[in-house]
Amino acid sequence: MPLPQKKRWKSMAKGLVLGALFTSFLLLLYSYAVPPLHAGLASIRTPEGVAPCSPAPGEPETVGPANSSVGECQPRRDIVFMKTHKTASSTLLNILFRFGQKHGLKFAFPNGRNDFDYPAFFARSLVQDYHPGACFNIICNHMRFHYDEVRGLVPPNATFITVLRDPARLFESSFHYFGSVVPFTWKLSGRDKLAEFLEDPNRYYDPNGYNAHYLRNLLFFDLGYDSDLDPGSPQVQEHILEVERRFHLVLLQEYFDESLVLLKDLLCWELEDVLYFKLNARRASAVPRLSGELYRRATAWNVLDARLYRHFNASFWRKVEAFGQERMAREVAALRHANEHMRRICIDGGHAVDAAAIQDSAMQPWQPLGTKSILGYNLKKSIGQRHAQLCRRMLTPEIQYLMDLGVNLWVTKLWKFIRDFLHW
């Protein structure tokens, strides 16, 4: 073997060993830095650990109107956003970051990383600077939902929202984004691993496998339910109705503009508050569309999510009907016009670009392992003073925005260092 090639292999081997050591060290530090889930749950069940913003004992969990005062509309500032995966949730997160920053609101942020110890259930002890009695305005980072834990951190009149997506499309996106970190997919040998998997999912799927939750009924899992529940169980419908009771609004990714119009109305916000650019989107070439048969198989494989989505798709259009079809059309048109206006003001070139073409590292989005398929933006060099701050905030990716808001992300930063060092 020629010497240069041998050196390359030695260098790669050293990198893998060093990466394994760094990762082990990371996990060890994190295990000391974050209390175990059961310890966090135990600590907050004591009377002195109950936050003053918790609902009174026995208070029904059914949510009422977010703005119930007759003839009045006050902007809502207490919000729980249950951030689901691969549903345009990063775009909605940016909207909440901007609103909270603009109004000086108090966020419940994770400690050390950009999620609440996902895929473990959320616990109050995972919140940065948490102490018994703490109360927050906004909770919006990735978590596996635990209603009682979240409920105790926000005022009783907080607005609960989440977002869903067509389960077949979500599965396709999740498979391509997370597939490389789900070991049972490593058995797939064909060029089209997604199609191969859907030919016979049970041949490959291991419900107890590492990261298996990403590849079946991910919405059900994120919302805190068993993603491998028997579809014939009455619990499926019970869980769906429980989501309906707990959330004021369930947005749909496929009708994002209509969803934001309903959200603006619910929260009594201004149009500027819900302006957005699409964040964390992938290159079109990296997103092969499912064919009719594969779409059917993906839907059948994610049948719990399919039932959830059908239920809230129907309720969504009932809300649109109540809002008024003509009024909705006008407000969607106004939102799109305002977004287009901001695009011309803010974005260099007017569109998203590949990661390699992003000039400012502060605008570089987080990438999945093994590929740089997530698009980002270049901020125009000359933007008027009136729009400069809003443009930068609208274009800032999640990790950088969290750091701007003062979140401790040492775990995320260390993991990024390891990935960069090993060129992952």
Side-chain angles (χ1 to χ4, degrees):
M1 181 182 292
L3 186 60
Q5 189 173 354
K6 185 182 292 184
K7 285 184 177 179
R8 283 198 297 270
W9 279 107
K10 284 184 177 179
S11 176
M12 184 181 297
K14 286 179 181 178
L16 289 172
V17 171
L18 187 57
L21 289 173
F22 268 136
T23 303
S24 300
F25 177 65
L26 165 68
L27 293 172
L28 181 63
L29 279 178
Y30 190 68
S31 67
Y32 281 101
V34 178
L37 178 60
H38 61 80
L41 291 172
S43 66
I44 59 171
R45 285 189 183 123
T46 57
E48 62 271 21
V50 177
C53 54
S54 301
E59 178 181 323
E61 66 177 33
T62 303
V63 293
N67 275 300
S68 57
S69 299
V70 177
E72 294 183 8
C73 181
Q74 298 297 323
R76 304 292 294 182
R77 299 187 175 192
D78 301 315
I79 302 158
V80 173
F81 171 42
M82 173 50 228
K83 188 178 189 289
T84 49
H85 285 85
K86 315 313 297 176
T87 57
S89 61
S90 293
T91 301
L92 190 50
L93 190 73
N94 180 274
I95 289 172
L96 293 172
F97 283 170
R98 285 169 15 224
F99 184 84
Q101 188 175 27
K102 176 181 177 181
H103 295 282
L105 304 182
K106 186 176 182 181
F107 288 90
F109 282 131
N111 186 24
R113 46 193 275 186
N114 61 308
D115 61 56
F116 290 106
D117 204 17
Y118 185 88
F121 278 103
F122 176 81
R124 277 176 257 185
S125 58
L126 297 171
V127 174
Q128 181 173 298
D129 301 324
Y130 170 75
H131 59 84
C135 195
F136 300 87
N137 298 114
I138 298 177
I139 306 176
C140 54
N141 289 82
H142 274 310
M143 67 171 76
R144 189 174 186 201
F145 193 57
H146 189 299
Y147 179 78
D148 292 335
E149 290 296 293
V150 173
R151 175 73 272 178
L153 286 176
V154 291
N157 63 344
T159 303
F160 281 64
I161 62 173
T162 190
V163 57
L164 306 181
R165 182 182 183 183
D166 179 311
R169 303 299 180 201
L170 185 150
F171 172 78
E172 179 185 28
S173 180
S174 185
F175 189 95
H176 288 297
Y177 192 94
F178 297 113
S180 62
V181 295
V182 183
F184 63 70
T185 66
W186 301 348
K187 305 173 189 175
L188 299 164
S189 57
R191 290 187 61 186
D192 190 342
K193 296 182 185 297
L194 176 63
E196 185 180 351
F197 178 83
L198 288 173
E199 283 290 331
D200 187 6
N202 287 306
R203 177 183 174 188
Y204 305 100
Y205 180 72
D206 175 8
N208 299 313
Y210 181 70
N211 282 337
H213 61 278
Y214 284 122
L215 298 187
R216 192 174 200 190
N217 296 311
L218 182 54
L219 294 172
F220 235 64
F221 184 89
D222 283 354
L223 287 164
Y225 303 119
D226 180 2
S227 55
D228 289 301
L229 194 62
D230 181 350
S233 169
Q235 285 185 292
V236 177
Q237 186 63 15
E238 290 170 9
H239 291 334
I240 292 171
L241 294 177
E242 187 171 65
V243 173
E244 186 169 58
R245 288 196 305 270
R246 289 174 170 175
F247 288 84
H248 291 87
L249 179 64
V250 175
L251 295 80
L252 300 181
Q253 186 261 2
E254 290 80 6
Y255 304 99
F256 197 66
D257 290 344
E258 291 85 351
S259 294
L260 289 181
V261 168
L262 292 179
L263 182 66
K264 180 175 77 73
D265 182 66
L266 174 68
L267 299 177
C268 196
W269 284 8
E270 301 296 328
L271 178 62
E272 181 180 302
D273 296 326
V274 295
L275 298 179
Y276 72 93
F277 298 127
K278 190 176 182 180
L279 300 179
N280 211 35
R282 290 185 298 155
R283 290 194 309 267
S285 59
V287 192
R289 301 295 289 175
L290 290 173
S291 68
E293 177 60 21
L294 288 180
Y295 178 88
R296 185 194 65 77
R297 290 180 180 179
T299 301
W301 177 245
N302 296 277
V303 63
L304 305 185
D305 279 1
R307 288 181 58 180
L308 178 77
Y309 184 82
R310 280 197 298 270
H311 179 93
F312 284 102
N313 184 55
S315 67
F316 179 86
W317 292 108
R318 287 195 295 270
K319 289 179 185 292
V320 170
E321 192 65 33
F323 184 82
Q325 293 280 1
E326 292 185 5
R327 180 185 172 199
M328 175 61 73
R330 288 196 305 272
E331 297 215 16
V332 165
L335 174 60
R336 290 174 179 170
H337 177 78
N339 281 336
E340 174 61 20
H341 178 65
M342 292 304 298
R343 183 189 66 79
R344 292 195 300 267
I345 291 173
C346 302
I347 300 175
D348 189 26
H351 56 81
V353 296
D354 284 335
I358 299 173
Q359 299 162 9
D360 183 352
S361 61
M363 294 292 147
Q364 189 70 244
W366 186 268
Q367 299 289 345
L369 277 176
T371 181
K372 291 195 172 182
S373 58
I374 303 300
L375 302 174
Y377 298 93
N378 286 313
L379 191 66
K380 276 190 175 179
K381 299 293 188 295
S382 56
I383 301 175
Q385 186 176 357
R386 179 184 172 190
H387 294 105
Q389 184 183 76
L390 178 58
C391 284
R392 175 163 287 277
R393 288 178 177 179
M394 288 181 70
L395 292 172
T396 299
E398 175 183 345
I399 302 299
Q400 292 90 324
Y401 212 140
L402 284 167
M403 290 190 288
D404 288 347
L405 292 171
V407 182
N408 173 16
L409 293 178
W410 72 268
V411 174
T412 303
K413 290 178 181 177
L414 184 54
W415 179 230
K416 183 180 185 304
F417 171 78
I418 294 169
R419 288 183 55 178
D420 291 346
F421 182 81
L422 298 175
H423 303 290
W424 285 351

